[in-house]
Amino acid sequence: MCGIAGFVESSQSNRSESVIAGMLKSLEHRGPDGEGVWRSKPSKWTATLGHRRLSIIDLERGRQPLGNEDDKVQVTFNGEIFNFQELIPGLIDRAHKFKTRSDTEVIVHNYEEHGIEGLRALNGMFAFAIWDDEEQSLLLARDRAGIKPLYYSELPDGGVAFASELTALLKHPKVPRGYNQYAIRNYFFADYIRPPTTAIEGVLKLPPGHFVIWKDGKLSQPEAFWKIEDVGRLPELFATENEAVQALTELLETATRRQLIADVPVGIFLSGGIDSSLVTAFASKQKRGLQTFSVTFEDPEYDEGPAAKAIADKFKTVHRTRTLNEKILLESIDRALTALDEPMADPSIVPTYLLSELAAKHVKVVLGGDGGDELWAGYPTYRAHKVSAIYGIMPALMRDQVIKPLVSMLPTQPSRQSFEWKLKRFTGRWDKNPNVRHLRWMSNTDLPELQAAFTHELDGSPVGADLANFDFGRDDLNRYLALDFITYMSGSVLTKVDRASMAHGLEVRPPLLDNELIEFAYRVPFSMKLKGGVSKYLIKKLARELLPPEILKLPKRGFGIPVNKWVRGPLKTRVESILGGDSPVWTGAGLKIETFRLWNEQHQELKRDHSKTLWALIALDHWMKRC
């Protein structure tokens, strides 16, 4: 796990040393164990690859950038290739010679042997750049799930620059700086900015499962080497439930074994939920004395501490916890928002940041349970789609003129995701297009409100045509899971975990997002995921064999902070300060201050719950003041 940066420029440029130094300095937190820089031989174009290292595998010889036998192929790499040991024998059979035992070198020889086609063989989390000296080309690639980030920008002279984080990329003097108001609108809709766009006009984010190639002054469009739709075209697995549980067990054992490989101590993020508890169960069977890490909350509405302790006791882990109260969380907001690096409005960044801070004091690597909800139907939204089948056949007049107005009259409740909140979201965000309906249910600021949020009209919709017409090739409910996989999971969940952990030089690995597990999950019928109102049915069936029964009965809490209450309490002054008019969001982002003042007033008076939108305003204000 590391931070990468680099660029290809015309050979006339003479500032490469100071530029790469500045880019790598801003990535020091991602790789505190060392730094490396490689430059190509003088030619029409000069490539500079930089690397900040977090030493995990082959501590002595795994330094980067790293080349092949004759140094004609060079890579700078962020992440881990979990099946690298499985790929080595085949590459050796093809006469490739290894000088390290690192997964990085597998990338180099795999590219030599298979070119771009070799990307599909890599099972892991990665973002890397490969310079091919003979081709005079640069390849940028990102893993299937989008676990690791990669930003890039075309340069005025025809070159290209790239980095693991937006802040590092902006250290290059030729990278543009103007705000992208379309992207900021999409940020308010979804809580994050979906690739390939970013909040900076002219800066792009490589989509998951994609690559681009730069050659001779031209940069290709992002092209997929793998898409979730590929799985949708494969035959469904019509196994019995018992057969499916057996297959799931074997895949989890393999994925966990792969991801425990490290030359440093490995721990586990243990929330007490089913996903992280299963990861703990499988990991503890393969390695004794693992350390587990949890944060507990003084607010019982958010606390899963007792459940986490029960799992730690059962599997005999060395369990470490940190109790968070309102004071600690509030004091940590700015540090956590700074770690985000780009606008992202998930408030759970704060406890995730503090959990990572705790773990980083004891280990360099942790396993986590990310991906379970998007693969196995863990969100309440999926159950809402079941109800929508009945709601959808009602006459439109009944929905729009009777039910929706009645629901809107319900008094706003201050509690987290109350029944009233769910009803208003269900009826108020109804859409005839099922994909759009799903994304609106999952979104932050809804489509009609977005039109009032900006000083001038922006063309198009934050729900692009590709999402509105997305077809997974399975039943509707599996399609919604796939939609979340390519939107919310990569854009919000994985982004949050990457930034929070790497701010402390900590690597987080998600076994549930192993390539084989992803494919298996999306080939299992939805009836094995949501059955009789039970979400994550197959996962829970497996969990009943391994976990204490009380864990399965616990309600899903998520991992957040009481933003609803805080915006009316300790964050009220901060919101009012932004609404005072001095914030750059009003000019740079083109937001309409009168609209946000109205929303804040409605929220303070418990007329409407605008907490997530006002939190998004706080996060954007913080980012724009730093950018």
Side-chain angles (χ1 to χ4, degrees):
M1 188 69 67
C2 310
I4 65 174
F7 43 86
V8 181
E9 290 186 310
S10 165
S11 57
Q12 297 176 358
S13 176
N14 58 7
R15 294 187 297 174
S16 63
E17 290 188 16
S18 61
V19 171
I20 194 64
M23 296 173 79
L24 292 176
K25 178 65 177 175
S26 68
L27 295 172
E28 189 173 3
H29 55 280
R30 296 187 74 96
D33 296 334
E35 179 176 301
V37 175
W38 176 89
R39 293 180 182 82
S40 63
K41 296 176 182 178
S43 183
K44 180 182 178 182
W45 299 95
T46 300
T48 301
L49 306 183
H51 188 262
R52 287 293 320 188
R53 189 181 187 206
L54 181 65
S55 303
I56 303 294
I57 294 175
D58 198 350
L59 307 185
E60 295 299 322
R61 297 175 297 173
R63 290 180 292 274
Q64 298 184 45
L66 188 147
N68 64 340
E69 296 93 334
D70 58 9
D71 284 334
K72 289 183 178 179
V73 175
Q74 293 281 336
V75 68
T76 182
F77 160 52
N78 168 31
E80 302 288 349
I81 306 301
F82 298 126
N83 66 334
F84 78 103
Q85 292 180 338
E86 300 160 37
L87 297 176
I88 288 175
L91 292 168
I92 290 176
D93 288 345
R94 301 292 293 175
H96 293 277
K97 294 180 172 58
F98 285 78
K99 54 193 174 188
T100 74
R101 54 182 181 83
S102 71
D103 56 336
T104 306
E105 193 169 5
V106 169
I107 297 174
V108 175
H109 296 307
N110 182 65
Y111 170 81
E112 278 188 286
E113 187 63 36
H114 303 291
I116 293 167
E117 293 300 316
L119 293 173
R120 293 183 64 88
L122 302 178
N123 188 345
M125 52 185 194
F126 59 81
F128 58 73
I130 292 179
W131 175 255
D132 187 325
D133 207 49
E134 290 188 349
E135 292 291 327
Q136 290 284 287
S137 66
L138 183 77
L139 167 67
L140 303 177
R142 189 179 179 203
D143 67 72
R144 299 180 178 198
I147 305 168
K148 294 290 102 186
L150 189 55
Y151 297 85
Y152 64 100
S153 179
E154 292 186 76
L155 301 178
D157 66 355
V160 63
F162 66 90
S164 293
E165 294 185 1
L166 182 58
T167 302
L169 187 60
L170 292 175
K171 294 296 181 183
H172 194 293
K174 295 180 182 178
V175 170
R177 298 291 191 278
Y179 298 123
N180 184 333
Q181 292 187 2
Y182 287 89
I184 292 172
R185 178 192 60 179
N186 296 357
Y187 156 78
F188 274 98
F189 175 70
D191 277 355
Y192 58 91
I193 298 172
R194 184 172 173 244
T197 58
T198 71
I200 301 295
E201 192 73 50
V203 173
L204 300 173
K205 181 165 45 180
L206 192 62
H210 282 65
F211 67 90
V212 293
I213 296 175
W214 176 95
K215 185 172 183 178
D216 197 24
K218 296 180 181 179
L219 184 67
S220 71
Q221 292 296 312
E223 185 175 343
F225 66 85
W226 179 89
K227 295 186 292 185
I228 192 68
E229 297 95 307
D230 295 344
V231 183
R233 298 186 189 98
L234 296 173
E236 195 169 62
L237 296 173
F238 292 100
T240 66
E241 287 182 8
N242 289 337
E243 290 171 333
V245 167
Q246 181 58 37
L248 178 59
T249 301
E250 294 171 0
L251 289 169
L252 270 170
E253 286 177 343
T254 300
T256 307
R257 184 185 70 250
R258 286 170 174 160
Q259 297 200 20
L260 283 170
I261 296 172
D263 294 332
V264 294
V266 179
I268 301 172
F269 278 167
L270 177 58
S271 69
I274 290 175
D275 298 329
S276 64
S277 296
L278 276 178
V279 169
T280 303
F282 280 95
S284 63
K285 285 200 303 183
Q286 300 181 48
K287 185 173 287 191
R288 294 182 179 179
L290 287 168
Q291 299 185 62
T292 50
F293 303 92
S294 301
V295 291
T296 61
F297 295 86
E298 289 187 351
D299 187 337
E301 189 177 4
Y302 294 82
D303 187 34
E304 292 183 303
K309 186 177 186 307
I311 295 298
D313 290 345
K314 178 174 178 61
F315 296 105
K316 297 180 173 57
T317 68
V318 179
H319 192 52
R320 304 181 190 277
T321 65
R322 181 181 181 185
T323 300
L324 304 181
N325 55 31
E326 183 175 290
K327 181 176 182 293
I328 294 171
L329 289 163
L330 286 167
E331 289 174 347
S332 305
I333 285 176
D334 285 322
R335 288 192 294 139
L337 291 177
T338 297
L340 275 175
D341 178 63
E342 65 171 320
M344 205 274 283
D346 184 345
S348 65
I349 180 62
V350 182
T352 306
Y353 178 89
L354 293 169
L355 174 62
S356 299
E357 186 176 59
L358 168 67
K361 294 176 181 178
H362 304 279
V363 296
K364 276 191 172 183
V365 178
V366 294
L367 307 187
D370 294 315
D373 290 321
E374 294 81 10
L375 270 62
W376 297 101
Y379 298 127
T381 311
Y382 308 128
R383 290 196 294 271
H385 282 294
K386 290 276 192 180
V387 180
S388 73
I390 300 172
Y391 190 71
I393 62 176
M394 289 183 180
L397 187 67
M398 173 70 74
R399 291 197 307 264
D400 298 338
Q401 302 298 320
V402 179
I403 297 178
K404 184 177 177 181
L406 283 174
V407 170
S408 68
M409 293 171 63
L410 294 173
T412 300
Q413 301 297 317
S415 58
R416 180 190 189 196
Q417 292 193 6
S418 63
F419 182 65
E420 160 270 328
W421 179 89
K422 292 177 181 177
L423 272 180
K424 288 180 178 177
R425 181 159 289 231
F426 181 90
T427 59
R429 300 188 177 199
W430 178 265
D431 198 289
K432 289 186 295 184
N433 182 313
N435 288 2
V436 176
R437 179 170 70 237
H438 179 79
L439 294 169
R440 288 178 68 183
W441 280 346
M442 292 290 291
S443 74
N444 181 346
T445 310
D446 197 21
L447 299 178
E449 295 170 325
L450 283 176
Q451 296 176 10
F454 287 81
T455 55
H456 55 280
E457 188 173 342
L458 298 172
D459 295 334
S461 167
V463 181
D466 61 327
L467 296 182
N469 300 316
F470 177 77
D471 183 9
F472 181 55
R474 288 264 192 274
D475 58 84
D476 286 346
L477 292 169
N478 261 315
R479 185 173 79 245
Y480 304 138
L481 289 175
L483 262 178
D484 284 342
F485 182 91
I486 64 174
T487 57
Y488 176 70
M489 186 189 74
S490 62
S492 182
V493 175
L494 297 178
T495 297
K496 169 194 67 184
V497 172
D498 173 79
R499 303 307 193 279
S501 59
M502 293 310 295
H504 302 290
L506 177 73
E507 174 173 302
V508 179
R509 301 174 175 180
L512 294 175
L513 292 176
D514 179 272
N515 286 3
E516 294 173 6
L517 265 169
I518 291 171
E519 181 173 305
F520 174 77
Y522 283 106
R523 295 181 66 187
V524 167
F526 194 86
S527 59
M528 293 188 187
K529 299 172 186 176
L530 180 60
K531 184 174 182 178
V534 178
S535 60
K536 299 169 83 164
Y537 176 81
L538 198 67
I539 286 281
K540 289 178 180 177
K541 189 175 178 70
L542 170 60
R544 280 197 291 272
E545 301 174 7
L546 301 172
L547 305 181
E550 61 269 21
I551 300 298
L552 302 177
K553 299 176 184 177
L554 293 173
K556 183 176 179 59
R557 283 190 171 90
F559 195 57
I561 57 178
V563 175
N564 188 315
K565 299 175 184 177
W566 284 9
V567 170
R568 291 192 309 274
L571 292 178
K572 181 179 178 180
T573 302
R574 182 163 184 164
V575 173
E576 289 175 345
S577 175
I578 298 170
L579 295 172
D582 292 334
S583 170
V585 300
W586 311 118
T587 53
L591 300 180
K592 188 182 293 184
I593 192 170
E594 294 82 4
T595 297
F596 282 84
R597 284 172 175 166
L598 173 62
W599 289 345
N600 183 52
E601 180 181 319
Q602 291 174 337
H603 187 81
Q604 299 301 331
E605 296 176 359
L606 283 177
K607 293 179 179 178
R608 291 277 303 277
D609 182 359
H610 291 292
S611 56
K612 289 295 295 296
T613 300
L614 295 171
W615 174 266
L617 182 69
I618 290 172
L620 182 64
D621 170 74
H622 182 89
W623 177 78
M624 292 184 75
K625 285 175 178 174
R626 288 183 59 249
C627 181

